[in-house]
């Protein structure tokens, strides 16, 4: 068992799924499940445009045999055509063959979302295909000298149709290592785009790393992190992945020792999953949350429960429960991977300062989420609006059998 690390990444199997869990301070803060044969998120294909729907300004493209994708045309960059037909403009027409990348998984009745704006992620930087030169540095890097140095390096490598984003990890990266990765991303991009224009429809030009391997790559930061798995096959796959990227010294990889008991039991994996699948979440002080996903949005209701019992100063009690709810809501959004529009019905408070305190606390708590999360405002009815970027399915949907 790894006890000296600040963060642990657990990889195991659960029925026909590969399960990934992130543990911080002894508590699971993120869960992810994927089919054993991997997924399509991040993959790049040659797709054929089957239909264009003008009233929603979108196209539907077939990127694999029988697999349709939704391609928004709003703000679409110049597409890369593969059918050899000369173009005088950037229009997309029915029958066109394009290079597209899957940017969002299918959710319920909605097909996967695809884009012509290709992104290739590395450990320290992301190559992004945009109109014009685009370079940016993670907002989490606050050292201005470091930011300027990274920006200058990125501008050296930016091309006419692509730029780069320096990730948070780049702050602690040696310059030569940073440059080597960028050069590798450029080479990979050129291979995909130059070879892709000669490939037939449905060809896979790039296959993204499995979800759990991507999570490992994105976790290679400054803090001490260890990987644990109780599956020998997964251990070999992770070891190969780390060695291929020269990352084997970045974090310890350990095969779980059965003498310590079952990894599932030691880390409460199954019990945590059971709780995540329930709508009710208890708070420390006796209050509780009810989390209800719907087709259009996620509704979260904060209730006093047992917290109000025999309390004289009700307003202070309401504030205390709401503040406890803030931390738990931020954790549950990440744990359950809830995204899209989220409405939170906190316990109503009369004091405007208390309302502002809760809003500010929610902004601080959600700022820790690696997935872009925005606290919009409080409505006239006292509901707090939050948006969280939608990329993967919710954890509940990931676990569902027969889900593509």
């Amino acid at each position: 068992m790894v006890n000296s690390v600040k963060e642990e990444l657990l990889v195991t199997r659960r029925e026909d799924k590969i399960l990934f869990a992130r543990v911080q301070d002894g508590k699971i803060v993120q869960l992810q499940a994927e089919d054993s044969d991997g997924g399509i998120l991040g993959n790049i294909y040659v797709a054929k445009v089957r239909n264009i729907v003008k009233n929603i300004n979108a196209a539907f493209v077939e990127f694999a045999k029988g697999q349709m994708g939704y391609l928004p045309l709003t703000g679409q960059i110049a597409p890369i055509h593969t059918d050899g037909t000369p173009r005088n403009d950037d229009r997309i027409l029915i029958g066109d063959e394009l290079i597209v990348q899957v940017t969002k998984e299918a959710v319920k009745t909605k097909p996967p979302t695809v884009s012509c704006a290709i992104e290739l992620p590395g450990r320290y930087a992301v190559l992004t295909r945009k109109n014009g030169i685009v370079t940016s540095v993670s907002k989490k890097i606050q050292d201005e000298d470091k930011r300027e140095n990274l920006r200058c390096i990125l501008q050296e490598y930016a091309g006419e149709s692509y730029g780069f984003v320096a990730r948070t990890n780049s702050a602690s990266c040696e310059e030569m290592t940073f440059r080597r990765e960028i050069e590798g991303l450029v080479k990979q991009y050129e291979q995909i785009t130059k070879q892709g224009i000669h490939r037939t429809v449905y060809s896979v030009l790039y296959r993204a790393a499995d979800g759990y391997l991507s999570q490992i790559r994105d976790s290679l930061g400054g803090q001490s992190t260890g990987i644990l798995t109780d599956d020998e096959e997964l251990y070999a796959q992770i070891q190969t992945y780390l060695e291929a990227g020269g990352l084997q010294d970045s974090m310890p990889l350990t095969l779980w020792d059965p003498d310590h008991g079952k990894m599932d039991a030691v880390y409460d994996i199954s019990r945590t999953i059971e709780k995540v699948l329930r709508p009710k979440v208890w708070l420390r002080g006796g209050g509780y949350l009810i989390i209800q996903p719907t087709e259009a949005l996620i509704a979260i209701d904060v209730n006093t429960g047992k917290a109000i019992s025999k309390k004289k100063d009700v307003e202070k009690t309401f504030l205390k429960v709401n503040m406890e709810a803030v931390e738990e809501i931020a954790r549950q959004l990440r744990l359950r991977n809830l995204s899209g529009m989220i409405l939170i019905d906190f316990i109503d408070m009369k004091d405007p300062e208390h309302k502002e305190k809760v809003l500010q606390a929610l902004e601080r708590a959600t700022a820790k989420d690696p997935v872009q999360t925005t606290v919009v405002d409080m409505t006239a009815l006292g509901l707090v609006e939050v948006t969280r970027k939608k990329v993967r399915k919710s954890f509940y949907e990931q676990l569902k059998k027969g889900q593509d």
Side-chain angles (χ1 to χ4, degrees):
M1 192 187 311
V2 179
N3 294 317
S4 60
V5 295
K6 297 178 182 178
E7 179 177 81
E8 291 170 307
L9 310 179
L10 312 180
V11 185
T12 187
R13 291 188 190 273
R14 183 182 174 91
E15 298 177 353
D16 60 340
K17 304 284 185 179
I18 295 177
L19 187 70
F20 170 90
R22 188 185 304 274
V23 180
Q24 293 175 347
D25 299 323
K27 182 180 287 189
I28 295 177
V29 297
Q30 179 188 353
L31 286 168
Q32 182 175 300
E34 61 182 277
D35 295 333
S36 297
D37 57 355
I40 61 171
L41 186 64
N43 288 359
I44 298 175
Y45 300 87
V46 175
K48 195 175 189 72
V49 180
R50 295 300 185 187
N51 192 18
I52 294 176
V53 185
K54 293 184 179 180
N55 62 343
I56 61 172
N57 201 20
F60 288 89
V61 303
E62 189 176 11
F63 60 87
K65 191 67 175 175
Q67 177 69 72
M68 300 299 290
Y70 172 81
L71 175 65
L73 299 180
T74 303
Q76 186 61 253
I77 68 168
I80 301 176
H81 293 271
T82 66
D83 52 9
T85 304
R87 293 290 191 277
N88 296 321
D89 54 40
D90 295 333
R91 287 189 303 161
I92 292 177
L93 306 173
I94 293 175
D96 283 353
E97 294 178 10
L98 316 169
I99 295 178
V100 301
Q101 183 172 34
V102 180
T103 57
K104 294 181 183 178
E105 292 182 320
V107 178
K108 297 178 181 176
T109 58
K110 298 178 181 178
T113 300
V114 300
S115 173
C116 295
I118 293 170
E119 289 193 351
L120 296 176
R123 180 182 176 187
Y124 303 112
V126 179
L127 182 150
T128 64
R129 183 173 184 269
K130 302 287 185 183
N131 285 330
I133 298 175
V134 177
T135 60
S136 62
V137 178
S138 169
K139 294 178 181 179
K140 293 183 180 180
I141 300 176
Q142 298 180 345
D143 185 321
E144 285 302 324
D145 290 338
K146 187 69 176 178
R147 291 179 63 85
E148 183 59 27
N149 183 50
L150 290 169
R151 192 177 292 110
C152 289
I153 295 172
L154 296 180
Q155 288 173 348
E156 286 182 40
Y157 291 95
E160 292 183 3
S161 62
Y162 60 84
F164 298 91
V165 177
R167 309 184 73 169
T168 306
N169 290 345
S170 62
S172 58
C173 176
E174 294 289 335
E175 181 174 323
M176 287 307 299
T177 302
F178 188 57
R179 287 180 178 274
R180 279 198 299 269
E181 178 175 276
I182 291 173
E183 289 166 2
L185 291 174
V186 171
K187 183 178 180 181
Q188 192 174 42
Y189 173 80
E190 290 177 346
Q191 287 177 339
I192 291 170
T193 54
K194 290 179 180 179
Q195 295 177 12
I197 61 175
H198 304 295
R199 300 288 295 278
T200 58
V201 68
Y202 311 143
S203 294
V204 182
L205 306 181
Y206 168 81
R207 196 172 295 279
D210 289 344
Y212 73 94
L213 294 175
S214 297
Q215 291 291 344
I216 289 171
R217 177 200 64 212
D218 295 345
S219 300
L220 294 167
Q223 72 176 9
S224 180
T225 305
I227 310 170
L228 280 171
T229 181
D230 56 358
D231 186 285
E232 292 186 2
E233 184 179 347
L234 291 176
Y235 177 87
Q237 290 175 4
I238 297 170
Q239 188 175 49
T240 300
Y241 177 77
L242 292 175
E243 290 176 352
L247 308 174
Q248 63 271 29
D249 298 327
S250 300
M251 61 171 67
L253 169 63
T254 305
L255 182 62
W256 181 260
D257 186 346
D259 290 343
H260 292 139
K262 291 186 176 180
M263 189 173 80
D264 183 282
V266 172
Y267 286 90
D268 278 341
I269 299 174
S270 290
R271 195 165 72 170
T272 300
I273 291 173
E274 288 175 10
K275 290 180 179 179
V276 163
L277 299 179
R278 297 174 190 164
K280 193 171 188 176
V281 181
W282 284 100
L283 303 175
R284 292 189 308 275
Y288 64 90
L289 310 176
I290 296 294
I291 302 175
Q292 291 285 5
T294 70
E295 189 73 26
L297 52 82
I298 310 294
I300 301 178
D301 188 28
V302 183
N303 297 275
T304 55
K306 303 172 184 177
I308 200 67
S309 177
K310 299 180 181 180
K311 296 292 192 307
K312 293 181 180 179
D313 195 332
V314 176
E315 183 73 8
K316 283 186 178 179
T317 301
F318 288 170
L319 176 61
K320 182 180 178 183
V321 174
N322 282 337
M323 293 297 284
E324 286 183 358
V326 160
E327 293 299 325
E328 191 58 40
I329 287 169
R331 176 173 177 261
Q332 291 294 327
L333 293 182
R334 187 177 178 190
L335 192 60
R336 299 172 184 235
N337 196 33
L338 301 175
S339 55
M341 185 189 302
I342 300 156
L343 286 182
I344 306 171
D345 187 7
F346 284 104
I347 301 166
D348 189 36
M349 298 177 294
K350 297 179 181 178
D351 191 333
E353 290 186 6
H354 288 177
K355 292 181 180 180
E356 186 61 27
K357 188 175 182 178
V358 169
L359 274 178
Q360 290 177 357
L362 185 61
E363 288 175 350
R364 289 193 301 270
T366 54
K368 302 173 187 176
D369 194 331
V371 175
Q372 183 181 340
T373 306
T374 304
V375 178
V376 181
D377 204 353
M378 183 177 287
T379 69
L381 296 176
L383 300 174
V384 176
E385 297 174 285
V386 177
T387 61
R388 189 169 185 267
K389 186 176 181 181
K390 187 177 293 186
V391 178
R392 293 184 180 274
K393 305 170 190 173
S394 69
F395 182 68
Y396 167 74
E397 290 176 298
Q398 291 173 17
L399 280 184
K400 285 171 64 177
K401 289 183 178 292
Q403 185 85 22
D404 293 331

